[in-house]
Amino acid sequence: MTTQQLRTERSGPQTVSVVTDLPFKPQLVKAVFRAVTSLHVSRPAPWAAASVTRTVLTQIVDGAGSAAAEEARTRLIPKDLISAIDRNVEVEVGSAWYLHSPTFHGLMGEVRNADGALVSLRERRGARTPSGVAGAHRFEAGVRRLLGSRRVRAVPAMVRDLDGIASVFLTALARDAAKVVREGGVKRFGAVSPVVPGEPAPAPLLKDPLLALSTRREDGRTVGADDVLAAVTMQLFGDLRGLALSDLGRKGDRSAC
């Protein structure tokens, strides 16, 4: 078993630990932060973002691998990506990439303006290319390392899609982490629960420790690992959100060994 090195950041009541054997290099992840914010970025923040991205991409790859196995294929193709998203809506992340990938063009459907005229794909993309899309392909090596760790292969088009999704997801994560810093915490926590008239409201199904981050106590000039974790609650939901956070928690448990 390989030894995993850990870096630890202590921020207020919480401690975040992340491993250094990530497929997505934190130096590249930090460049994403610098592209979307002028705030200072602490050293552990990119490690946390890279870890979360690994968890998300792993779930997508595993879902695509299951779809390929059903057809007795050993190499992933773009339609396996579609199958993975269809089977688990929680992995539908990095949606800004979809307008720029041939894999998703046939699924986007027609869009018409108020006059009934068909809106072209170029118009739907907009005049400005999103920064995550413009920075795609920087994570191709990381995607290939991740595929290797899952013992699967993929055609170039599939690698390109995974690369683009990773880039766009990381960009959104970095942008939300910076927003948490600027706003002094997460301002949009909320939940919807079914209630039967005349009966007491059910207890929350999930006690999220990151709700404590709704009020931020650190300085307003630095993006920390806790801010990335708060951004996770804005970008992900359901079991995938819990898995991404618990993966980081398990790395923290190992740091005490």
Side-chain angles (χ1 to χ4, degrees), residues 116-195:
L118 189 66
V119 179
S120 69
L121 183 60
R122 182 179 296 275
E123 291 176 302
R124 292 163 66 184
R125 286 177 175 174
R128 181 177 178 274
T129 301
S131 57
V133 173
H137 307 305
R138 74 179 75 180
F139 298 107
E140 180 176 340
V143 167
R144 294 189 182 278
R145 284 192 291 270
L146 178 61
L147 290 169
S149 72
R150 309 309 292 175
R151 301 181 183 277
V152 295
R153 297 181 300 161
V155 300
M158 179 69 167
V159 173
R160 179 175 182 267
D161 278 328
L162 292 172
D163 181 14
I165 289 173
S167 181
V168 171
F169 172 72
L170 272 168
T171 299
L173 196 65
R175 186 176 291 117
D176 279 349
K179 184 183 297 184
V180 170
V181 176
R182 291 194 304 269
E183 296 183 354
V186 179
K187 303 300 184 184
R188 287 174 291 279
F189 275 113
V192 177
S193 300
V195 178

Side-chain angles (χ1 to χ4, degrees), residues 2-256:
T2 58
T3 300
Q4 294 180 324
Q5 300 177 4
L6 296 126
R7 295 180 183 273
T8 303
E9 178 186 39
R10 187 171 297 278
S11 177
Q14 298 209 352
T15 298
V16 179
S17 299
V18 288
V19 297
T20 61
D21 62 338
L22 298 169
F24 304 104
K25 293 185 177 181
Q27 298 93 324
L28 296 178
V29 176
K30 189 168 185 177
V32 174
F33 279 82
R34 287 174 172 168
V36 300
T37 180
S38 60
L39 294 170
H40 176 68
V41 179
S42 71
R43 180 174 293 180
W47 296 95
S51 178
V52 171
T53 304
R54 175 181 59 182
T55 299
V56 172
L57 267 289
T58 296
Q59 294 302 302
I60 295 175
V61 168
D62 287 353
S66 296
E70 291 174 2
E71 298 184 6
R73 283 186 286 101
T74 59
R75 180 172 292 187
L76 305 185
I77 60 177
K79 79 171 186 175
D80 297 326
L81 175 59
I82 300 297
S83 296
I85 294 174
D86 284 344
R87 296 178 183 187
N88 183 3
V89 69
E90 293 175 9
V91 301
E92 189 176 345
V93 300
S95 56
W97 173 253
Y98 300 166
L99 286 173
H100 295 262
S101 167
T103 299
F104 298 92
H105 288 179
L107 302 176
M108 302 301 290
E110 293 184 351
V111 175
R112 298 182 180 274
N113 60 23
D115 298 324
L118 189 66
V119 179
S120 69
L121 183 60
R122 182 179 296 275
E123 291 176 302
R124 292 163 66 184
R125 286 177 175 174
R128 181 177 178 274
T129 301
S131 57
V133 173
H137 307 305
R138 74 179 75 180
F139 298 107
E140 180 176 340
V143 167
R144 294 189 182 278
R145 284 192 291 270
L146 178 61
L147 290 169
S149 72
R150 309 309 292 175
R151 301 181 183 277
V152 295
R153 297 181 300 161
V155 300
M158 179 69 167
V159 173
R160 179 175 182 267
D161 278 328
L162 292 172
D163 181 14
I165 289 173
S167 181
V168 171
F169 172 72
L170 272 168
T171 299
L173 196 65
R175 186 176 291 117
D176 279 349
K179 184 183 297 184
V180 170
V181 176
R182 291 194 304 269
E183 296 183 354
V186 179
K187 303 300 184 184
R188 287 174 291 279
F189 275 113
V192 177
S193 300
V195 178
V196 178
E199 295 186 6
L205 296 178
L206 176 64
K207 292 184 179 180
D208 193 337
L210 288 182
L211 289 175
L213 294 177
S214 58
T215 301
R216 189 175 184 276
R217 295 179 176 84
E218 292 75 25
D219 71 79
R221 300 182 301 276
T222 302
V223 179
D226 281 345
D227 301 313
V228 173
L229 297 186
V232 170
T233 68
M234 301 163 69
Q235 286 292 320
L236 303 178
F237 66 96
D239 292 339
L240 181 58
R241 167 180 153 173
L243 180 60
L245 297 177
S246 65
D247 278 352
L248 281 174
R250 282 196 290 271
K251 304 307 183 298
D253 292 340
R254 292 176 189 172
S255 65

